[in-house]
Amino acid sequence: MKALRFKRNIPRYAAAKIAGNIKPGSGASFGPIDLIQEESPKAPGEEWVRVRPRLSGICGSDLATVDGKSARYFEPLVSFPFTPGHEVVGDLDDNSRVVLEPVLSCTSRNISPTCNPCSQGKIGNCENVTLGEISPGIQTGSCHDTGGGWATEFYAHPSQLHSVPDEFSDEAAVMVEPTACGVHAALAAELPNEGVVAILGSGTLGQVTISALRHLTNPKTIISTARYPEQKRLAAELGSDIVVSPDEIHRAVRRACGTKAITNVSENSPEGRVDRLTGGADVVIDCVGTSKSISDALSITKPKGKIVLVGMPSIVELELTPLWHRELQLIGAYTYGTERLANGEAVNTFDLAFELVKNAKLEKLVSACYPLNNYQEALKHAANAGARGAFKIVFDLRDERERNIK
């Protein structure tokens, strides 16, 4: 089996952080991730089945790990060494295609009775991610026992697998998991009917969230920020009514909502700059997760409005006075599970994601495929995707898999 393996190695992790700060994606050249060849793994339990990946995506959380920027919060929630990769379309031994739902819940850990979140279908909130019959890990790609999608094979519990319709290309199928994240975020926002929503960031996560908002909610106006021309073009195509550069978001929300601005006059800016709005958007969805983006969200959300944090943050520095003064809600939106639609119907997030990928043709977000041997180049491309006019970068393991079978 060929796999990319991430080990616990503090000096190399520190080197990755330095390299990643200099040039995003460069941590792969210096950090504790290596391409290895080893014997095929053993199943972690009787029910578990082998998955042979066809395509496996590179996520922002993967890049944070590779570049030494992942939060120390996750240290007790993973088990080393692990193989990354949780955005996967692959084949079972009977040659049927499946998409992985990577969360390792009570069911996959063989824990009974299940915790309260899992019993309600909210598997992303599982309380037992360090317990059960497998090692700690919040999902496939962070657990030593399961392996991950950046390999020619790994193991999954049947509860994690979704059959892929014949009409889906591999590129469409690999977009289902990231689209499920966008679906969960859009529905967690609970956008009022005819409400105004702003999305900060138009990378892959921002794009699928825009699409989910357009298809699953009824907004009056969708405003999004994008840094690069291709991001702006696709955001408009997928449903954003107004697309602006990040530094123009205050003005865009002000105009869309008919609210007023509060300016901050200083010696360095005697003409004044917009510091915050008196009103603002009903909901702001932050798909970036930096101090700057969260601060922007706090300044453009109307009093008693909601901010949904989708982009994975690490350590941020924030002025939280507006959260208190304007009585805002700041919530997280992590992974997926069971969604509650406006009509009260309970639907699995992945079912909604399959439908959205098909209707919006989200396979168009897959920009480039790389073999595992070229992993350093692939990770650099993914880390600089926006500037290079790209979105989702994936590993293509189809040729590797065929060689292994032969």
Side-chain angles (χ1 to χ4, degrees):
M1 181 190 78
K2 182 181 288 187
L4 287 171
R5 186 63 49 81
F6 192 93
K7 299 180 180 179
R8 186 191 294 274
N9 185 311
I10 294 176
R12 288 185 65 184
Y13 192 78
K17 186 171 185 178
I18 294 171
N21 285 334
I22 296 173
K23 188 173 183 179
S26 296
S29 301
F30 301 93
I33 187 167
D34 296 291
L35 184 61
I36 65 167
Q37 190 85 36
E38 65 178 9
E39 294 294 322
S40 296
K42 295 181 180 180
E46 291 184 2
E47 294 182 274
W48 291 69
V49 296
R50 184 174 67 160
V51 180
R52 292 175 286 118
R54 298 177 68 87
L55 298 179
S56 187
I58 300 172
C59 174
S61 60
D62 297 323
L63 293 171
T65 299
V66 170
D67 274 347
K69 297 178 181 179
S70 57
R72 297 194 65 179
Y73 169 88
F74 291 111
E75 287 184 9
L77 306 180
V78 302
S79 47
F80 294 90
F82 62 83
T83 296
H86 58 272
E87 302 174 352
V88 186
V89 54
D91 292 326
L92 301 183
D93 286 342
D94 63 4
N95 290 323
S96 60
R97 278 192 309 162
V98 292
V99 160
L100 176 72
E101 184 170 358
V103 171
L104 295 168
S105 65
C106 286
T107 301
S108 55
R109 293 180 172 279
N110 198 23
I111 294 174
S112 181
T114 62
C115 67
N116 285 335
C118 284
S119 68
Q120 298 169 20
K122 301 175 182 178
I123 61 171
N125 305 128
C126 179
E127 298 173 354
N128 292 316
V129 294
T130 62
L131 305 174
E133 295 183 352
I134 56 176
S135 299
I138 54 177
Q139 58 187 10
T140 301
S142 66
C143 174
H144 169 74
D145 296 343
T146 65
W150 295 3
T152 51
E153 59 184 274
F154 69 94
Y155 279 89
H157 191 272
S159 63
Q160 296 180 277
L161 301 176
H162 298 263
S163 296
V164 178
D166 291 341
E167 67 269 21
F168 267 56
S169 66
D170 289 338
E171 288 75 13
V174 81
M175 283 303 304
V176 171
E177 193 278 342
T179 299
C181 293
V183 166
H184 182 63
L187 295 177
E190 298 181 324
L191 182 68
N193 190 44
E194 291 289 314
V196 175
V197 56
I199 299 95
L200 307 183
S202 289
T204 299
L205 188 53
Q207 300 288 352
V208 296
T209 302
I210 291 168
S211 186
L213 285 164
R214 180 53 68 193
H215 283 79
L216 299 174
T217 68
N218 184 35
K220 175 184 178 182
T221 308
I222 298 177
I223 307 168
S224 60
T225 67
R227 291 185 179 278
Y228 305 105
E230 188 62 14
Q231 290 179 342
K232 293 178 180 180
R233 184 197 68 78
L234 193 57
E237 180 181 317
L238 290 178
S240 186
D241 300 294
I242 302 169
V243 186
V244 298
S245 298
D247 59 359
E248 298 173 334
I249 187 61
H250 289 79
R251 180 181 297 177
V253 173
R254 177 187 176 189
R255 289 178 174 175
C257 298
T259 187
K260 297 179 176 63
I262 298 174
T263 58
N264 187 358
V265 179
S266 67
E267 293 181 1
N268 295 328
S269 181
E271 73 281 1
R273 60 175 176 80
V274 175
D275 184 66
R276 74 202 80 155
L277 305 180
T278 57
D282 295 282
V283 174
V284 176
I285 301 179
D286 183 355
C287 297
V288 182
T290 63
S291 297
K292 176 66 166 61
S293 64
I294 301 173
S295 295
D296 282 343
L298 289 167
S299 67
I300 62 172
T301 307
K302 74 175 188 179
K304 292 188 178 295
K306 181 182 289 187
I307 299 166
V308 183
L309 186 59
V310 188
M312 187 186 78
S314 183
I315 298 174
V316 297
E317 184 175 332
L318 294 174
E319 167 62 77
L320 288 178
T321 306
L323 184 75
W324 164 78
H325 178 237
R326 296 159 73 87
E327 297 188 336
L328 302 175
Q329 297 180 60
L330 175 61
I331 69 167
Y334 166 70
T335 65
Y336 20 70
T338 299
E339 308 296 342
R340 186 71 60 177
L341 301 182
N343 62 6
E345 182 183 3
V347 184
N348 183 275
T349 319
F350 270 62
D351 291 340
L352 295 171
F354 270 102
E355 183 178 352
L356 182 57
V357 169
K358 180 180 178 180
N359 292 338
K361 296 179 172 56
L362 295 181
E363 64 270 20
K364 70 184 74 174
L365 287 165
V366 178
S367 302
C369 301
Y370 287 84
L372 277 184
N373 286 349
N374 292 357
Y375 73 94
Q376 294 183 4
E377 183 180 351
L379 292 167
K380 289 176 183 177
H381 194 170
N384 297 279
R388 296 177 62 173
F391 294 96
K392 178 58 62 180
I393 309 302
V394 303
F395 288 113
D396 188 340
L397 298 114
R398 290 171 291 198
D399 288 344
E400 294 284 354
R401 186 201 60 187
E402 294 302 326
R403 282 196 288 269
N404 280 359
I405 292 175
K406 293 175 182 178

